[in-house]
């Protein structure tokens, strides 16, 4: 698969980080995984690495993007 990247604004990054904290607090594992993956993509991390880190397939990470 090809590499993927997204650019997010500082405001959007902060919103994702806030969402991630709230998801941890609420115990919402699905949202934790999605927010973590999107932040990883925005940092330029490889999709395979992100997928391994959150425990999903690379195809799932691409779908979340």
């Amino acid at each position: 698969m090809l590499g993927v990247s997204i650019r997010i604004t500082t405001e959007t990054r902060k919103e994702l980080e806030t969402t991630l904290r709230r998801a941890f607090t609420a115990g919402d594992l699905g949202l934790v995984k999605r927010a973590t993956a999107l932040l990883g993509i925005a940092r330029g991390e490889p999709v395979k690495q992100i997928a391994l880190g959150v425990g999903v397939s690379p195809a799932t990470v691409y779908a979340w993007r």
Side-chain angles (χ1 to χ4, degrees), residues 24-62:
F24 268 118
T25 300
D28 187 341
L29 182 58
L31 186 53
V32 167
K33 289 180 177 189
R34 290 188 301 275
T36 299
L38 291 173
L39 287 166
I41 291 169
R43 285 190 298 266
E45 296 174 10
V47 170
K48 286 184 180 182
Q49 178 182 329
I50 294 167
L52 283 172
V54 298
V56 299
S57 71
T60 298
V61 175
Y62 281 107

Side-chain angles (χ1 to χ4, degrees), residues 11 13 17 34 52:
E11 180 180 340
R13 181 186 48 78
E17 290 170 347
R34 290 188 301 275
L52 283 172

